[in-house]
Structures are given as structure tokens and as C-alpha cells.
């Protein structure tokens, strides 16, 4: 069977304690079908929030030419936060060498890559220490064009560029923002620098397969065409009608809804691959920000196999029964054969001789899942044939699809984030942005209540 026909396999163990699995799945078939129908209808109508559905089929004009331009620099800095940074880190971590920046230019095949996301002067200063501003391309990504943390970093990098003698940022800056409004759009028009629009129907956390994520990935040599093909293939597979028990997206959505109702309001995302560690961070934003509304939502908890078997498994197995576990395991990976012990004191390790380290990691995943099932903890097991650009693109679309269907099935809007917006308004006010004075006063008043009865050392 071709890998393209077998992109994901999802199984479950102890999936619905006290209930028949088929019975529970069938009981939710109605609301899940409603969710998928709403998704397809919104995508057909190009409604706000649904634009990610067709991103794989419509790469913007000039994308590949701009990638080649970026590859001519010594360094590329992605300036963004949230959906304008997590996806970039996720792709880089999944598909590039773990120590990419430490390789020689010939070994890398592309520029060094940095992400300036948090508004932390230590992180930004560290990047400035590592780059030659004049030989660096800056991708500044913000759909609104006014995100405070992103703009703060942008101003610092612009200042560094000017301080290095560059009179115009036109040759170093690439803007990704709204096509009509916002400070970044105005900046692009004023300076004539390169720019790409973020489609108005695509939210930040769903934007990784747009220029927001594709430009930096391509600059590092990632096959972005394969990423898009993988997403397109996954879309075709998921939109084909099939029995609910044979549809991995529906099984995961049903599991999330059922276990939330049963009091398991945490979803533990546990990949058995260092390359997928950052995928957990990307998923966490997607899941939490899309579904944490109206009292609903399962908190994403990041765990890495096998590392977190030695830090969190005790809690997972014998702590509160409040978690749904999702294991992600590549079925094909690089392997290293372990040699025979060369010292007598290590003879007890002879059982490892000739065994593969990758095979050991696979068995660690199996063992941990089995141990959790033995304790009656619900486990989902997701397999991918191989971690490459095609299958990563498929995974991205799969989790976007599951997240959207889950929200729409529950009458939760998976594309807005009202809880985030209030924090932004407080920040704008406290930083002195005109028009947000009342928000500043309210933030100070509410914060003072925290210190009303405080203790100190």
C-alpha cells in the first residue's frame, strides 16, 4: 500500500471505560456529522475562519521566488508570536537537523534561522548577538499588523539594521500581514519592501500552511510543495464519507468530547519523537485557543516520550483520572544499533547488544500505553508511516480538521479568541497606546486586588 494511502492510523485502548466503544461513537455520530457539515459549508462559502481548509491548493504568487531570495541571506529571523511563530518552530524542529544553526552553510544548505517571539530582552539580545543585521532577512508576521510583542521586536531589529548603516529596510524586510490594513501594511507601502497577505479568512493558529509558515520553512530547505501536497491528500481522505469507527478524525473528536463529559478535561499529547516535541506546542495553541470557551475545553498537556516517562508517568498512572492520552509514533525512523559492552562492569547491559535504539523507543511507547490501559486510563494511539514533509503536512491538516469539527459539533466557535483579546487591550493601555486608557485603569484596579492581602519574605 502506498504511504499516501496510509498516512495515519488511529487506535484506542480503554477508550471508553464502562461503555461500549461502538455504542459511544454511534451516540455522537449525529453531532459529529453536524460539525463536519458545518465545516464543509463554511469552507465552501469562504466564511471567516474557514480559509485554512483550502490553503494547500492555493500557494500565493511569488512564494517560491521569495523563498529563493531568503536563501541568499546568512540568517533569517522570524518575528512573530503565537500562530506566527509556533508553526515555524514546529516545521523546523520536525524536518531540519536538530542543531541546524551549528552546521556549516554547506551542510545546512540554507541560512541560519532564529525566531523572535516573546517580548523578552534576553532572547532578542541573544539573536542580535548572533547575526550580522546587514546580511539578515527579517520576516515580520502579524495578521493585525499591531501585535505589541511582535512590533516591539520589529522596532528593535529595524533599529539594529539602521545602526549598521542600512538606510532603507526594503532589501532586508519581508512583511506578512493583512492585505489592506494595519501598521505593517502601511510600513510595506511606505518602504516598498516585499510583502505577502495573510488571507482574511485564516486565523493565526491555522496559518502555518500560508506564507506565515511556508516562507521560513522553504528558506531552510524544507520541501514546502510536499507539505502542501500532504495537507491536500489528508483533506481528500477526511472528506470521504466512511463509518465513524473507521474515521480517525471522528474517533479523536468523539473521544475528546466523551472524556470531557466524563471529567477528563486534560488531553496529554505525547509524541515518541524528539522531532515532534515542538509539534506539541503548536497543537497546544490550536486546541486550547480554539476550544477553550463557554466552559468547554480540555487543557493540552505536553509530554515527550520517553523523556516524560521519567518525570510524569507516575502521575499519569496513579494520579487523578482526569486525562485522555494521545500517543504519536512514527512507524519508520532512523535506528542506531547498540554495541556489546566493552567493560566487564557493564555485562548486565548485554541484553541491549544488537538492539536498535529506535526500536527501543517504539517499545517504550508500547509499554507506557499498555501500563496506562492496565490502570483503566483512556489511550489514543496515532501512527504515521514516516516523518517527512508530506506526512507532516497531512498531520497539520488532520489536527486542524479535528479541532474545527470538535468545536463546531459543540456549537463552540473554533476560530475566535475573545479571552485573548482582553489581555491585549490591557497591554495596549498599560503601554500607553491611545484609545485604551480605560483598559489601563481597569487592569491596574484588578491587579491591585491581587496584592490586597499579600505576604512577602
Amino acid at each position: 500500500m502506498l504511504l499516501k494511502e496510509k498516512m495515519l492510523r488511529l487506535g484506542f485502548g480503554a477508550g471508553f471505560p464502562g461503555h461500549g466503544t461502538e455504542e459511544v461513537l454511534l451516540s455522537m455520530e449525529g453531532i459529529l456529522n453536524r460539525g463536519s457539515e458545518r465545516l464543509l459549508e463554511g469552507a465552501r462559502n469562504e466564511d471567516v475562519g474557514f480559509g485554512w481548509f483550502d490553503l494547500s491548493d492555493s500557494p500565493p504568487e511569488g512564494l517560491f521566488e521569495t523563498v529563493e531570495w531568503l536563501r541568499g541571506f546568512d540568517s533569517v529571523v522570524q518575528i512573530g508570536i503565537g500562530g506566527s511563530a509556533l508553526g515555524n518552530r514546529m516545521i523546523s524542529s520536525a524536518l531540519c537537523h536538530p542543531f541546524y544553526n551549528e552546521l556549516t552553510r554547506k551542510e545546512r544548505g540554507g541560512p541560519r534561522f532564529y525566531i523572535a517571539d516573546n517580548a523578552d530582552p534576553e532572547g532578542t539580545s541573544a539573536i542580535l548577538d548572533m547575526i550580522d543585521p546587514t546580511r539578515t532577512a527579517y520576516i515580520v508576521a502579524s495578521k493585525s499588523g499591531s501585535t505589541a510583542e511582535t512590533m516591539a521586536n520589529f522596532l528593535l531589529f529595524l533599529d539594529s539594521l539602521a545602526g549598521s548603516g542600512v538606510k532603507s529596510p526594503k532589501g532586508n524586510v519581508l512583511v506578512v500581514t493583512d492585505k489592506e490594513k494595519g501598521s505593517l501594511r502601511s510600513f510595506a507601502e511606505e518602504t516598498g519592501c516585499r510583502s505577502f497577505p495573510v488571507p482574511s479568512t485564516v486565523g493565526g493558529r491555522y496559518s502555518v500552511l500560508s506564507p506565515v509558515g511556508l516562507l521560513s520553512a522553504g528558506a531552510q530547505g524544507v520541501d514546502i510543495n510536499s507539505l502542501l501536497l500532504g495537507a491536500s491528500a489528508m483533506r481528500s481522505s477526511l472528506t470521504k464519507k466512511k463509518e465513524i469507527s473507521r474515521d480517525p478524525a471522528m474517533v479523536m473528536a468523539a473521544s475528546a468530547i466523551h472524556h470531557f463529559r466524563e471529567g477528563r478535561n486534560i488531553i496529554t499529547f505525547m509524541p515518541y519523537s524528539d522531532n515532534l516535541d515542538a509539534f506539541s506546542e503548536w497543537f497546544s495553541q490550536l486546541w486550547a485557543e480554539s476550544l477553550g470557551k463557554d466552559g468547554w475545553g480540555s487543557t493540552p498537556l505536553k509530554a515527550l516520550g520517553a523523556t516524560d516517562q521519567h518525570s510524569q508517568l507516575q502521575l499519569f498512572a496513579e494520579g487523578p483520572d482526569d486525562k485522555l492520552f494521545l500517543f504519536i509514533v512514527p512507524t519508520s525512523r532512523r535506528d542506531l544499533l547498540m554495541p556489546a559492552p566493552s567493560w566487564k562492569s557493564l555485562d548486565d547491559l548485554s541484553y541491549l547488544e544488537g538492539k536498535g535504539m529506535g526500536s527501543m523507543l517504539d517499545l517504550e511507547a508500547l509499554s507506557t500505553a499498555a501500563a496506562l490501559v492496565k490502570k483503566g486510563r483512556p489511550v489514543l494511539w496515532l501512527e504515521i508511516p514516516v516523518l517527512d514533509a508530506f506526512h507532516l503536512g497531512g498531520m497539520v491538516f488532520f489536527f486542524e480538521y479535528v479541532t474545527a469539527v470538535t468545536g463546531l459539533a459543540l456549537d463552540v466557535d473554533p476560530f475566535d479568541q475573545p479571552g485573548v483579546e482582553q489581555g491585549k487591550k490591557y497591554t495596549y493601555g498599560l503601554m500607553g497606546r491611545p484609545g485604551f486608557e480605560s483598559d489601563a485603569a481597569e487592569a491596574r484596579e484588578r491587579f491591585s486586588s491581587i496584592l490586597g492581602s499579600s505576604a512577602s519574605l
Side-chain angles (χ1 to χ4, degrees), residues 37-70:
E37 288 166 4
R38 287 177 173 179
L39 175 54
L40 293 175
E41 181 181 358
R44 279 194 302 268
N45 296 332
E46 300 181 346
D47 292 341
V48 173
F50 292 82
W52 58 272
F53 196 83
D54 293 315
L55 281 177
S56 59
D57 291 343
S58 54
E61 184 179 352
L63 177 72
F64 295 97
E65 293 83 354
T66 304
V67 163
E68 289 307 309
W69 171 74
L70 289 169

Side-chain angles (χ1 to χ4, degrees), residues 263-308:
R264 298 181 186 90
N265 61 350
I266 298 172
I267 181 165
T268 302
F269 195 90
M270 196 166 187
Y272 273 75
S273 168
D274 285 354
N275 297 79
L276 289 174
D277 191 25
F279 196 98
S280 302
E281 298 177 5
W282 174 81
F283 169 79
S284 292
Q285 184 202 11
L286 177 70
W287 191 260
E289 203 166 78
S290 297
L291 302 179
K293 295 156 193 171
D294 302 327
W296 201 93
S298 53
T299 301
L301 175 63
K302 175 186 171 185
L304 177 67
T307 300
D308 282 307

Side-chain angles (χ1 to χ4, degrees), residues 363-398:
L363 295 176
E364 295 262 19
L366 186 155
S367 300
T368 303
L372 290 171
V373 170
K374 182 178 181 179
K375 292 289 186 178
R377 306 301 161 103
V379 171
L380 295 170
W381 179 276
L382 184 66
E383 292 181 353
I384 57 172
V386 65
L387 185 53
D388 59 13
F390 180 85
H391 289 89
L392 184 68
M395 283 181 61
V396 166
F397 189 90
F398 175 80

Side-chain angles (χ1 to χ4, degrees), residues 182-228:
S183 297
L184 284 180
R185 177 52 56 198
S186 298
F187 174 85
E189 292 172 356
E190 179 184 4
T191 63
C193 70
R194 289 172 170 82
S195 70
F196 281 90
V198 179
S200 60
T201 57
V202 177
R205 58 189 176 273
Y206 291 86
S207 67
V208 64
L209 296 180
S210 78
V212 171
L214 295 177
L215 288 163
S216 68
Q220 294 170 86
V222 171
D223 185 349
I224 57 178
N225 193 52
S226 287
L227 273 173
L228 296 174

Side-chain angles (χ1 to χ4, degrees), residues 62-78 88 100 105 109-113 135-140 171-176 194 196 211-221 224:
L63 177 72
F64 295 97
E65 293 83 354
T66 304
V67 163
E68 289 307 309
W69 171 74
L70 289 169
R71 288 174 62 77
F73 287 88
D74 286 348
S75 302
V76 170
V77 178
Q78 176 84 18
N88 307 76
Y100 174 86
R105 174 68 191 229
R112 289 178 297 160
F113 179 58
R135 295 193 56 77
T136 298
Y138 305 91
I139 305 172
V140 54
N172 295 76
V173 174
L174 168 58
V175 164
V176 185
R194 289 172 170 82
F196 281 90
V212 171
L214 295 177
L215 288 163
S216 68
Q220 294 170 86
I224 57 178

Side-chain angles (χ1 to χ4, degrees), residues 421-422 424-442 444:
E421 298 304 322
Q422 184 58 70
K424 288 183 178 180
K425 291 177 181 179
Y426 285 158
T427 298
Y428 290 147
L430 292 170
M431 290 297 292
R433 182 175 177 179
F436 293 88
E437 292 82 4
S438 62
D439 292 287
E442 184 177 316
R444 290 191 178 94

